[in-house]
Amino acid sequence: MLVNCVVYQDGMKVAEIATDQIHEYLRRPNAFVWVALHDPGAPEFEQMQREFGLHPLAIEDAQQGHQRPKIEEYGEAVFAVLHMIEPTDGQFDVGEVDIFAGPNYVLSMRSHAQRGFQEVRARCEREPELLRQGSGYVLYALMDAVVDRYFPILDRLEDELDAIEQRIFAPESSPRSNIEALYELKQRLMIMKHAVAPLLEGVSALTGGRVPSLCAGLREYFRDISDHLQRLNQTADSIRDTIATAISVNLSMITLQESETMKRLAAYAALVAVPTLIAGIYGMNFQHMPELSWRYGYESILLVMAALDGYLFYRLRKAKWL
Amino acid sequence: MLVNCVVYQDGMKVAEIATDQIHEYLRRPNAFVWVALHDPGAPEFEQMQREFGLHPLAIEDAQQGHQRPKIEEYGEAVFAVLHMIEPTDGQFDVGEVDIFAGPNYVLSMRSHAQRGFQEVRARCEREPELLRQGSGYVLYALMDAVVDRYFPILDRLEDELDAIEQRIFAPESSPRSNIEALYELKQRLMIMKHAVAPLLEGVSALTGGRVPSLCAGLREYFRDISDHLQRLNQTADSIRDTIATAISVNLSMITLQESETMKRLAAYAALVAVPTLIAGIYGMNFQHMPELSWRYGYESILLVMAALDGYLFYRLRKAKWL
Amino acid sequence: MLVNCVVYQDGMKVAEIATDQIHEYLRRPNAFVWVALHDPGAPEFEQMQREFGLHPLAIEDAQQGHQRPKIEEYGEAVFAVLHMIEPTDGQFDVGEVDIFAGPNYVLSMRSHAQRGFQEVRARCEREPELLRQGSGYVLYALMDAVVDRYFPILDRLEDELDAIEQRIFAPESSPRSNIEALYELKQRLMIMKHAVAPLLEGVSALTGGRVPSLCAGLREYFRDISDHLQRLNQTADSIRDTIATAISVNLSMITLQESETMKRLAAYAALVAVPTLIAGIYGMNFQHMPELSWRYGYESILLVMAALDGYLFYRLRKAKWL
Amino acid sequence: MLVNCVVYQDGMKVAEIATDQIHEYLRRPNAFVWVALHDPGAPEFEQMQREFGLHPLAIEDAQQGHQRPKIEEYGEAVFAVLHMIEPTDGQFDVGEVDIFAGPNYVLSMRSHAQRGFQEVRARCEREPELLRQGSGYVLYALMDAVVDRYFPILDRLEDELDAIEQRIFAPESSPRSNIEALYELKQRLMIMKHAVAPLLEGVSALTGGRVPSLCAGLREYFRDISDHLQRLNQTADSIRDTIATAISVNLSMITLQESETMKRLAAYAALVAVPTLIAGIYGMNFQHMPELSWRYGYESILLVMAALDGYLFYRLRKAKWL
Amino acid sequence: MLVNCVVYQDGMKVAEIATDQIHEYLRRPNAFVWVALHDPGAPEFEQMQREFGLHPLAIEDAQQGHQRPKIEEYGEAVFAVLHMIEPTDGQFDVGEVDIFAGPNYVLSMRSHAQRGFQEVRARCEREPELLRQGSGYVLYALMDAVVDRYFPILDRLEDELDAIEQRIFAPESSPRSNIEALYELKQRLMIMKHAVAPLLEGVSALTGGRVPSLCAGLREYFRDISDHLQRLNQTADSIRDTIATAISVNLSMITLQESETMKRLAAYAALVAVPTLIAGIYGMNFQHMPELSWRYGYESILLVMAALDGYLFYRLRKAKWL
């Protein structure tokens, strides 16, 4: 579906045009067309390929979807694929935005993602001196927006990890739910990681050595994105490492709880076993067992049992078994 | 066994020829011969080496089989080895396709693999403008077909992993079968990984710096293969990482189940031990045990036993031990 | 807040000036202005950007905070971000210092950090022959001060690890607190690691190949910082590795303690079970049980019980079960 | 000890000569001397150094033995160290072959290895057109022979691993012997790895960039060795990875077996504890226990015990505890 | 403290001189001064800096100590830091040797290390043709000596690991002491690793690309050191890997021992529980229990108990539980 199709010249918006007029504006000097689509269908793909002369392999990738993030050059044009991550109900929905940028056009196609880029367009239009730099700046602005949206998501993952960590060491935690939460957190982290790591690779090609002419004057801007991606990537690696440690720590806590449970059980068993032995002794049928005929033999022996158990209880509690 | 032996000129099929005529057609301008063999025998290897002048080391590799995937240059010719993975009964059959490509010929030899490349040939013949690019394009088309066949296989591995994951956290799972499934999944994953990772290395040589003249105008096409391989490789790495985590999580679950079983056992033991103690006490032979002569002493004590067990049961259930 | 704003010429302090006079001094030959701020507010950011013509992306990074450590060039200027780690109550407070250095100015902005750089300024002023090298030397001096402050912090982490290690192998250690301490130690280590590792990367750009003109004659000085960072980084990696080993060793110790506890329990159970069996035997109601009518049958059987338990105790102690 | 000392000219064997005649033949054009020694003593080292003018550091390495595999250039000469692995009684004997190759000589010294290189010499002599390429080809042929001998050894390690894997999941396996076998397998694998990995590094220097003049026309041959080494290396890494997984899986199986044993034990305990409780109840000494005076009270209660145990047995078997 | 201060010319010792005469000899052609200090104090540092014009950063590093091993160039001079490891009472004492080498001097300063370099000096003086190469050769000889001393230390670590490995699998091993030994071994290994790995990095700079003029003709010699370091490094990595495996194997052995202990315990429990049940049955007070009045009822039942236990014992032994 078409979101927008606008012509800019010298950093200023000229007109909203129909998509079939695009080729008329492509020849204007210092102008570029910025088209935004979402969830485009086959006819839109064909029209765009025709209007902008996109490379068939790039259009095939965009049409097929599920690409890994990447930045590729086709002649003078740049083709960028970025993942858009949108948390819904504790799950991550992974959308995709494909950006085709040539000297005189930018085409962004967003799929399976709720949130658009109206704010990016608005900000660009408010800063004509930057927009004057052309389609390369729009490419930067779109990529910057996508990457900036990763930060709060990763922050929330970090917060969740913090919460799980505190539960792990809490005395009455449920190791089963902890481990499930850690596992599930790692799954989501990997989605983030797969969005960030390959993109980092791709962006570095826009900041180092030979740069596409499109991005020529914007090296510092793309380096800024690369820097953000590195920060995200490092944080993700660090969370991953912490999850691995937390899983092994959780295993230790499980084994430890098991060991403590065993001690408690054994302590209770002792409290039962000792009086059972005594009762057994006085259940023997020897003819000559003087205690049996004592007037308060029974009561005394009950007291002895209670006393022994009391002493045992005291010792076991002191040894932290109970 | 010969599958096909066809001459193409200017992107169009000219004729199917016999293999002993090949050398006659090799001198034609803008033409190339495309030969497909499967499970070739020694005489076919010799004939092909003679007809195309293949390098003895390359032919030795092809004849011997069980090569790691690779792409090697011999003078103007390119020698590519790819693995073909075919799932049968939950196992992976690993076949091999060896492709020799020179300026005027392509020779593909498939071994231990059911599925051929008829569809690739058909697609090539439908697109004469691409086929006109010569043997390099055929090399691309064959490699692309092999690599594209990896995707559904890897997808299925991912699905299987998802299924195992859900079983791990299911309350009544069998950890033994989970771990066996994870281990077996990893074995198959490694087969996939060994098909993809070395090939990725090899293909990058066809996209970067100095490229064999054969592939000169096709850089974007081989980069597309490289991109697919990177995606496969990343997914495989991610699955491998998840399997490792799942194995350690499964160990935690086993330990946890053990711990829970132990608590259940202990709870039942308590339910038996306490009345046993009481029975022991009233089995003692003291002369003065007033309860013994009570009219309803026996019945009362049975009630006491039942009441104690009832109370214990309630407490243990509340503590989730039962 | 402004800390200092001083003009230096030929290595000597010329005057403390007001920040709005800065631009007047920037044109002097062989002179540079060194401004130090802490926790600057928006107006100070704006003023500084105006006075020194700082790049908007750099100023944005500084204003936003929470950057990863880095060293970036903007034209002739260098922008450095360093983390300042200050331990308080066993926790690490992470502050940040942002340094902008141009040919004729140095601007340091410290945030969320108690300790300033007065000592650095004092040392610089005592060594005019070094300060004569200009703003690059001040950049070095500030970075060197920040990096040198990492050493005692890392040393203390190492000491703490040593203490935990000794507790792990101590016979009466608490594995629960050990593991908690290890986990917490690792968290703090990662903060240190995140301060050091990215900076190391950045500093190497000031020592290798093409160096910003600002730092031209100071290669050996920056190599010295790089060397310190490498030392810190290596130590951090080594601590991390040791923590991982310690966690797995601790798990082994937990399992071992569990196993030893089980043996102790079983030993005590045996000491109770054997006399219980004997008591049971003499509690049987057979008519012909000669021992029952023995005059000292009861006493003898008590002695037998005691003797058996004594023997068992001796054996179990010898086998180290008790 | 001398094995052979032969002069070759234009690819043909000219004569077997005595080692003190070597220097007479070294000046002949298109000729080279190929000397093979095994377990050489100090005088032979000295003589060879004198005859061929070997570099003192290389001769020192060869004399000392226990070098890591490597390929080094000394001026025009190449010095190669390779490990020879010979399995005896399930152990690996590690021998060494040191090859000195100069423009007009090849000297191979084999130590602590049974199997020689007669077959290599024989094959070389059967292929004069290849041998005509001179000493570089002999260097290739020797290295190729050593590397090819690694394959069956690694294959056997893989087979052993397969056998252990099947034992791990077998219901009645002995985890103790499995883990011992895995550990021992890893030890042997590391010996193989240490033979392969450093050599791979060294050989790549003979295929890439600047190549010693000796090996100039043989790039494809050395690339073939490099390819074999990569295959070996990859297989070794994969086995190592699988061993690590197998060890952790085996630990899971141990824990699982423990858990299953515990359930069996608990089941048997229940089968004894319940009738014990019942017997205890009817061992009580209450005056009014109607069942005691029933005619078939005893028999009935035995039946009740048997019935209860039968029911328990049925339930426990259904729950797979027995 | 001064160890030696000697002037060499054309490879021959000229004279022992006082340290304050050094500057007089520095101008002689083809001569160099070789000074050896141990545990130098501040005045010696100052004197040396003055005499040889050492770089302040290098002297600061040397004075401060606890540097990581490194090799740095300061103009024409080379500054090398090496660790000296001396085992005492199973611990490693880490000393340091700092070597300053310029075109006409070598200064070695040894700290916290017992063993000096007299043997190196003696060997150098015995080989004037090598010593003629100047101070670069002395630098090589000192570094070679330090590195060669690492080998026996690492060999002993390997031997210790072998000993621990055999204890792990021994039936009556103490897992607690094994794990402690492994942990302690790893600590010492890391000390070795920290001596070797950074030095390897540094030495490679003396063998590759641009080499300090001092070491110009000695490339093969420094490559030899680099080769030794690589061997040490590889061995250390391999030991580390084996330790990690051994720790996890040891955990398996602990779990296994626990499991076997549990079975033994359960077997003994069964041997007691079964006769206890029988005794309980004949302790019941039913009026009609025919066995009770049998003449040899008591003896028969004791025999039954013994027979049952005998049978159980036989079964349990066969199942390897006892």
Side-chain angles (χ1 to χ4, degrees), chain D residues 65-177:
Chain D
H66 303 298
Q67 299 299 309
R68 62 194 287 271
K70 62 180 171 185
I71 293 176
E72 286 180 345
E73 283 179 69
Y74 288 96
E76 286 208 288
V78 169
F79 172 51
V81 178
L82 293 95
H83 284 185
M84 297 180 72
I85 297 176
E86 299 183 330
T88 40
D89 310 325
Q91 292 293 314
F92 281 176
D93 286 348
V94 182
E96 195 175 311
V97 57
D98 302 304
I99 311 174
F100 298 82
N104 49 2
Y105 66 88
V106 176
L107 165 60
S108 77
M109 304 200 291
R110 159 169 64 92
S111 310
H112 308 291
Q114 299 299 318
R115 198 168 153 202
F117 298 101
Q118 288 76 2
E119 66 198 54
V120 178
R121 191 180 287 266
R123 193 159 63 95
C124 284
E125 294 179 354
R126 278 198 309 274
E127 304 182 317
E129 75 285 359
L130 289 170
L131 197 53
R132 189 170 294 131
Q133 308 204 37
S135 54
Y137 184 77
V138 174
L139 175 64
Y140 155 75
L142 287 168
M143 288 176 60
D144 189 48
V146 172
V147 170
D148 276 354
R149 288 174 192 175
Y150 292 153
F151 281 100
I153 300 172
L154 200 61
D155 284 353
R156 238 184 60 192
L157 289 184
E158 256 187 317
D159 291 348
E160 287 185 39
L161 181 55
D162 278 356
I164 299 172
E165 279 170 4
Q166 299 200 331
R167 270 186 279 143
I168 286 178
F169 291 112
E172 282 309 315
S173 80
S174 156
R176 186 183 282 271
S177 69

Side-chain angles (χ1 to χ4, degrees), chain D residues 175-189:
Chain D
R176 186 183 282 271
S177 69
N178 291 344
I179 209 168
E180 215 167 331
L182 284 169
Y183 193 84
E184 192 274 338
L185 192 66
K186 182 161 183 196
Q187 304 279 53
R188 272 184 293 149
L189 182 71

